[in-house]
């Protein structure tokens, strides 16, 4: 399997007045062609910043301070803006959390879709319009011609997110980064959107990074999963391995403490304790203050280890038996 | 990179030392060089105006001290009485330096008095609206909006057209032109405070409206009122000068800076620039320094801009 | 849309009516109507005749009714100085004022918006800081003082343009205006610039604030993620959003330009209705003052109405809200 994206040692920091926020602090992962990878973690753990780093969309006072991002074997971390522009929306697309905020309120849907094509290809407006219409049809929007003439506020939330998904697939990208695309939607719409997205990735062979704070969402969608905490990936592996036998105490917490044989479809549980203050992370393991399995060793930074078909950052992996109360 | 880090760490440490809100406010205010200089300039102007009778060579409105023979002398000329007129003299022989300091007394008095009165009235009306709520509030705010849809300068002009000349009438005109800005400011705070959960909770607990008004709205509208007050006072000074320049503000017997500039206007086209320009510079320094202070106050006091 | 316009018009009518009440009762209760409406040279017999003619011996409601009837027929009294109907006098001076205010508005938009755009896009550059400092000055400097300096610099010292008065009028499409002759333009330049100064500062600030806010919005990040050119993002995505509030406020400022033109016209001896007003006040020509007041009120209400309608055309959200309501 060839890798579409290889991220290694990625560090993206924000140099604020109050101090340095290490939003992404040494992240490694690979996404293969046609694969869906779930990137999971509580709010503020650095998921979005990881996604924006890939697209080179980190603004002041932040920047990528270290690491490599290889897209189809080509280094794109801190690449010139000109090069990144030819990738964005073309080879790598992004879908944002809130379609109300991301679609420009004063531009019609057709304008916003057609421009995405014309930015990368010299085709006639008519051709671009037809492609936009077909793309809307593909994501299950009825009477797409009419919808193209609408302003974003005239569409429902689910409809808007479908427009965003259709736009993401317009240029047949190799990779789509979907940043919590269903968080703002209610549960039934959420299921439909996930279904459409899954269908399209299968059809087109597009790889996808699906960012969410809800493990249940990626459980049925992703092949692999990366769990992120305070700027680092703490556990990464095949979806079945991680969901059925979580090793990191944080993953265990995310899954909830009930030992069911199959946890798929379970809602996220609130983990005890506060999400960490990114300006004052504890010494050693960042999860330490909230961790039940904490030991003396945890005052050191846990290294990445490869055990049980996954990579893990924890001194005290949780054997499956221990999950049972 | 490490420079940046240590710098910001240092700044953080510095600001951590500052304790009371007032101390923090003071520290943040004086962080801006421009604002500090502006405040200094304004205080000097006020001081000069207060001390005018003791630090000027002439009382420009005591006819016994003014000689027509000194008329229109360029800057640096020697007066009949022997002192040097560093800024020259005006058409009727007044020393401009003296005239400007005396003029500042009038301009500042009118500006500050109308600013303070308008603030008190506007604040009272705003608070009454917030206290009464419902229809009374809606009615008051409608009037405020209506008045604000006309520029203050036009309202003031209309008022002086109706009222006539004089210090008291100008102050009244300026107050009428400006109270609505303060009322709107109070109203904005009231809306924010009411939106906050704790006020809702307070109301649910049956705590009186006056408590909401005096414990929540009043303290919180002070900072924005101060900012609006600074800017409006500058604008009042400028407005009075404008009206006086147009001949519809203060009479010749109350020669504010605007009157001085108007008197010099007729000489300007013939090249005797100083009669208008020097009073103009004094006006400029006053208004700009107040505005710069106000502008910086806005940044310092605006919690939204706070990190 | 039609419903929207009709409702706004009814509201405007109500405001005009209310203002006529205020003006009328203001003049009659705050001021002395005899003093206000009879020439100061009048003797006792004249005054008594005027009291009878004006119906001042009748109940106030009846007086108001007479005033309203007169006003509705365009009769606001005769000028003491010119002996002509005050309204006619004002309408005669109106084109010069309109021309001045319109030119100032155009100058403000043409100069202010690009400067504000630059300052918003590069907030930390030296040029932007210079622009912002200049705009603070633009706000603080009294218009009349700037006018004096402009005359001194450009007319007295440099002798580039004439100091005062209105130049030759040209005719174009039936419009008489000094915009159409060189002499006219040279006379217009200084007063228009003088009047525009405050609004240039306003346009700079509004645009800058709008740009800075818009640049932080998700829709800009999304547009960047689509790989659009910076040019398109700024000119289409950002500017289209900003133009709505900026155009609204600038449009509303047209009224204030007419108001401020009182000062500029006096300094530059521009024969508009502002200069007419000051002359009228100084010569105690009260019917002209009252007529000016009524005209200006009508004017402001009309401008508010037009801006509201314009706003609803520019911003699709306003229209929809109104349809929903
Ligand atoms: N512009 C910024 N300045 C400072 N800190 C930032 C900025 N943007 C994001 N961060 C910080 O980076 C961390 C990760 O943010 P993000 O990637 O958005 O989290 P999430 O996992 O919820 O998507 C957060 O702690 C946030 O405070
Ligand atoms: S390293 Fe220690 S503190 Fe961190 S998650 Fe593992 S057990 Fe808990
Ligand atoms: Mg996020």
């Amino acid at each position: 399997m060839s890798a579409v994206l290889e991220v290694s040692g990625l560090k993206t920091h924000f140099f604020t007045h109050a101090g340095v926020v290490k939003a992404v602090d040494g992240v490694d992962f690979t996404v293969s062609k046609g694969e869906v990878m779930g990137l999971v973690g509580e709010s503020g753990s650095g998921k979005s910043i990881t996604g924006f780093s890939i697209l080179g969309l980190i603004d002041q006072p932040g920047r990528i301070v270290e690491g490599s991002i290889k897209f189809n074997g080509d280094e794109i971390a801190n690449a010139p803006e000109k090069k990144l522009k030819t990738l964005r929306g073309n080879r790598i697309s992004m879908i944002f959390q809130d379609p109300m905020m991301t679609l420009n309120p004063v531009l019609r849907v057709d304008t916003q879709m057609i421009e995405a094509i014309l930015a990368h290809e010299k085709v006639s407006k008519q051709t671009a319009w037809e492609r936009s219409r077909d793309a809307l049809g593909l994501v299950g929007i009825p009477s797409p011609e009419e919808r193209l003439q609408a302003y974003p506020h005239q569409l429902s939330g689910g409809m808007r997110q479908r427009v965003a998904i259709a736009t993401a697939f317009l240029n047949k990208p190799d990779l789509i980064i979907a940043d919590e695309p269903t968080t703002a939607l209610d549960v039934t719409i959420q299921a439909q959107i996930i279904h459409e997205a899954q269908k399209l990735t299968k059809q087109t062979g597009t790889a996808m990074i699906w960012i969410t704070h809800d493990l249940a969402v990626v459980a049925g969608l992703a092949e692999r999963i990366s769990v992120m905490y305070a700027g680092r990936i703490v556990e990464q592996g095949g979806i079945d391995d991680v969901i059925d036998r979580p090793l990191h105490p944080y993953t265990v917490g995310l899954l909830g403490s009930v030992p069911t044989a199959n946890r798929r479809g379970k809602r996220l549980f609130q983990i005890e304790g506060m999400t960490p203050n990114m300006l004052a992370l504890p010494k050693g393991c960042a999860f330490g203050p909230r961790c039940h399995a904490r030991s003396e060793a945890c005052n050191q930074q846990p290294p990445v280890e490869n055990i049980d078909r996954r990579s893990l950052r924890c001194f005290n992996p949780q054997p499956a038996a221990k999950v049972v109360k | 990179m490490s420079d940046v880090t240590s710098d910001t760490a240092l700044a953080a440490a510095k600001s951590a030392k500052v304790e009371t809100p007032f101390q923090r406010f003071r520290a943040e205010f004086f962080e801006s060089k421009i604002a500090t200089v502006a405040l200094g300039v304004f205080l000097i102007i006020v001081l000069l105006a207060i001390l005018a009778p003791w630090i000027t060579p002439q009382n420009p409105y005591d006819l016994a001290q003014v000689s027509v023979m000194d008329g229109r002398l360029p800057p640096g000329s020697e007066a009949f009485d022997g002192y040097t007129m560093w800024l020259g003299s005006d058409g009727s022989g007044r020393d401009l330096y003296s005239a400007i300091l005396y003029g500042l007394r009038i301009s500042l008095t009118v500006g500050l008095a109308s600013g303070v009165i308008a603030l008190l009235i506007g604040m009272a009306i705003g608070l009454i609206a917030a206290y009464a709520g419902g229809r009374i509030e809606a009615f008051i705010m409608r009037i405020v909006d209506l008045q604000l849809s006309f520029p203050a300068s036009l309202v003031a002009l209309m008022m002086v057209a109706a009222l006539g000349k004089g210090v008291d009438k100008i102050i009244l005109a300026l107050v009428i032109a400006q109270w609505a800005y303060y009322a709107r400011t109070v109203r904005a705070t009231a809306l924010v405070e009411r939106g906050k959960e704790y006020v809702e909770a307070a109301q649910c607990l049956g705590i009186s409206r006056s408590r909401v008004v005096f414990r929540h709205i009043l303290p919180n509208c002070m900072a924005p009122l101060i900012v609006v007050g600074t800017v409006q006072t500058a604008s009042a000074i400028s407005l009075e000068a404008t009206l006086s320049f147009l001949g519809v503000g203060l009479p010749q017997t109350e020669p504010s800076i605007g009157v001085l500039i108007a008197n010099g206007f007729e000489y300007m086209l013939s090249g005797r620039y100083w009669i208008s320009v020097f009073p103009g510079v004094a006006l400029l320094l006053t208004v700009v320094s107040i505005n710069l202070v106000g502008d910086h106050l806005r940044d310092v006091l605006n919690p939204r801009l706070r990190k | 849309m039609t419903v929207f316009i009709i409702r706004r018009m009814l509201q405007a009518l109500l405001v005009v009516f209310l203002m006529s009440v205020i003006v009328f009762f203001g003049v009659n209760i705050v001021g002395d109507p005899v003093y206000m409406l009879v020439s100061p040279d009048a003797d006792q017999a004249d005054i008594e005749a005027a009291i009878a003619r004006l119906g001042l011996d009748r109940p106030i409601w009846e007086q108001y009714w007479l005033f309203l009837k007169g006003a509705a027929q365009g009769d606001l009294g005769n000028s003491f100085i010119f002996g002509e109907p005050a309204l006619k006098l004002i309408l005669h001076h109106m084109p010069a004022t309109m021309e001045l205010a319109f030119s100032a508005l155009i100058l403000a938009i043409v100069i202010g918006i690009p400067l504000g755009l630059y300052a918003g896009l590069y907030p930390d550059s030296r040029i932007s800081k210079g622009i912002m400092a200049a705009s603070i000055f633009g706000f603080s400097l009294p218009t009349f003082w700037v006018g004096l300096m402009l005359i001194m610099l450009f007319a007295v010292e440099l002798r580039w343009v004439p100091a005062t008065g209105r130049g030759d009028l040209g005719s174009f499409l039936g419009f008489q205006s000094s915009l159409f002759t060189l002499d006219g333009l040279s006379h217009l330049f200084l007063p228009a610039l003088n009047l525009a100064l405050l609004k240039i500062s306003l346009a700079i600030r509004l645009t800058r604030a709008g740009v800075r806010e818009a640049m932080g919005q998700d829709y800009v990040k999304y547009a960047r993620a689509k790989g659009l050119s910076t040019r398109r993002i700024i000119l289409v995505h950002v500017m289209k959003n900003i133009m709505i509030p900026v155009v609204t406020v600038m449009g509303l400022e047209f009224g204030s330009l007419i108001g401020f033109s009182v000062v500029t016209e006096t300094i530059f001896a521009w024969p508009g209705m502002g200069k007419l007003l000051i002359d009228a006040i100084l010569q105690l020509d009260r019917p002209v003052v009252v007529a000016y007041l009524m005209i200006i009120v009508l004017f402001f209400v009309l401008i508010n109405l037009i801006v509201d309608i314009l706003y609803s055309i520019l911003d699709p959200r306003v229209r929809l809200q109104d349809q929903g309501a």
Side-chain angles (χ1 to χ4, degrees), chain A residues 52 55 57 59 85 88-89 94 96 101-107 111-112 115-116 119-120 151 153 164 167, chain C residues 217-219 221-230 232 236-238 240-241 244 314-317 319-320:
Chain A
F52 288 133
L55 281 171
L57 285 177
D59 291 317
K85 256 184 200 154
R88 288 180 200 141
M94 190 150 176
F96 288 62
M101 305 293 288
T102 51
L103 293 177
N104 193 321
V106 298
L107 298 176
T111 317
Q112 302 194 51
E115 68 181 2
H120 302 287
Y151 286 95
H153 63 82
T167 310
Chain C
Q217 295 287 314
D218 276 0
Y219 64 76
K221 199 141 201 176
Y222 182 58
R224 287 165 69 198
K226 287 198 292 191
L228 303 184
S229 67
T230 313
R232 184 169 173 92
V236 177
H237 285 259
V238 173
K240 187 136 195 231
N241 271 282
I244 293 164
L314 271 173
D315 190 340
R317 283 166 295 187
R319 232 178 309 158
L320 194 85

Side-chain angles (χ1 to χ4, degrees), chain A residues 40-55:
Chain A
V40 187
E42 287 168 310
S43 168
S45 54
K47 309 179 298 289
S48 300
I49 301 300
T50 305
F52 288 133
S53 300
I54 295 167
L55 281 171

Side-chain angles (χ1 to χ4, degrees), chain C residues 23-24 34 41 44 61 77 91 109 126 134-135 153 171 261 267 282 309:
Chain C
V23 168
F24 179 80
V34 178
D41 311 325
Q44 196 55 39
W61 290 110
L91 291 180
I109 288 174
R126 267 163 188 274
S135 90
L153 186 66
S171 202
S261 72
I267 298 171
L282 293 177
I309 293 171

Side-chain angles (χ1 to χ4, degrees), chain A:
Chain A
M1 266 205 304
S2 59
V4 175
L5 186 76
E6 288 176 80
V7 175
S8 53
L10 178 68
K11 293 190 178 182
T12 304
H13 296 176
F14 287 87
F15 300 91
T16 68
H17 288 294
V20 181
V21 178
K22 298 178 177 174
V24 177
D25 201 29
V27 158
D28 312 89
F29 63 84
T30 304
V31 184
S32 307
K33 198 167 179 317
E35 182 190 41
V36 177
M37 187 194 84
L39 184 58
V40 187
E42 287 168 310
S43 168
S45 54
K47 309 179 298 289
S48 300
I49 301 300
T50 305
F52 288 133
S53 300
I54 295 167
L55 281 171
L57 285 177
I58 300 295
D59 291 317
Q60 287 295 328
R63 66 193 152 86
I64 299 176
V65 291
E66 245 182 81
S68 138
I69 302 169
K70 286 211 169 91
F71 178 68
N72 289 331
D74 205 6
E75 180 62 52
I76 59 168
N78 287 320
E81 185 67 11
K82 206 171 154 199
K83 178 173 178 179
L84 289 167
K85 256 184 200 154
T86 62
L87 295 177
R88 288 180 200 141
N90 187 22
R91 307 319 323 139
I92 310 175
S93 295
M94 190 150 176
I95 303 168
F96 288 62
Q97 173 171 354
D98 190 345
M100 188 66 210
M101 305 293 288
T102 51
L103 293 177
N104 193 321
V106 298
L107 298 176
R108 286 187 353 192
V109 169
D110 51 2
T111 317
Q112 302 194 51
M113 291 187 78
I114 290 170
E115 68 181 2
I117 297 174
L118 296 184
H120 302 287
E121 252 180 280
K122 283 206 164 56
V123 293
S124 72
K125 259 199 171 167
Q126 182 60 30
T127 314
W129 183 86
E130 281 163 12
R131 260 167 67 183
S132 306
R133 180 198 56 196
D134 297 346
L136 287 187
L138 277 180
V139 291
I141 289 186
S143 51
E145 284 97 344
E146 265 172 55
R147 297 290 183 250
L148 277 173
Q149 290 189 29
Y151 286 95
H153 63 82
Q154 292 168 318
L155 304 176
S156 69
M159 213 48 110
R160 280 195 289 259
Q161 199 57 296
R162 278 168 214 255
V163 169
I165 292 172
T167 310
F169 277 97
L170 272 178
N171 293 318
K172 307 204 165 47
D174 301 322
L175 174 68
I176 291 180
I177 302 168
D179 187 356
E180 313 219 17
T182 57
T183 304
L185 306 174
D186 65 48
V187 184
T188 42
I189 312 263
Q190 197 173 341
Q192 290 168 12
I193 297 277
I194 293 173
H195 174 72
E196 303 287 355
Q198 198 168 22
K199 196 181 76 191
L200 277 171
T201 43
K202 288 264 159 58
Q203 280 171 4
T204 56
T206 303
M208 174 124 87
I209 298 175
W210 190 284
I211 297 175
T212 177
H213 62 257
D214 190 348
L215 254 174
V217 167
V218 282
L221 178 66
E223 282 119 48
R224 265 175 345 103
I225 183 170
S226 300
V227 179
M228 206 165 172
Y229 189 81
R232 294 196 175 89
I233 291 180
V234 293
E235 181 164 13
Q236 182 173 184
I239 189 86
D240 294 323
D241 292 336
V242 174
I243 296 242
D244 293 340
R245 285 173 288 111
L247 292 184
H248 196 284
Y250 178 61
T251 318
V252 175
L254 280 182
L255 283 162
S257 52
V258 190
T260 326
N262 184 358
R263 285 187 195 88
R264 291 187 185 190
K266 281 272 167 326
R267 295 290 301 166
L268 178 83
F269 275 78
Q270 201 67 41
I271 303 175
E272 262 176 53
M274 299 259 286
T275 50
N277 175 1
M278 294 297 281
L279 278 168
L281 286 178
K283 209 171 153 295
C285 178
F287 189 59
R290 298 166 74 184
C291 183
H292 296 298
R294 200 191 147 77
S295 66
E296 197 62 36
C298 307
N299 287 328
Q300 303 291 314
Q301 191 56 244
V304 182
E305 278 179 281
N306 287 310
I307 40 170
D308 194 9
R309 291 184 295 187
R310 72 193 83 179
S311 67
L312 188 72
R313 276 181 193 265
C314 178
F315 290 116
N316 307 313
Q318 301 290 293
K322 265 201 181 168
V323 178
V324 186
K325 238 195 254 174

Side-chain angles (χ1 to χ4, degrees), chain C residues 17 40 54 98 127-128 190-191 255 303:
Chain C
F17 173 74
L54 296 169
M98 291 297 189
I127 299 177
S128 301
L190 280 190
I303 286 172

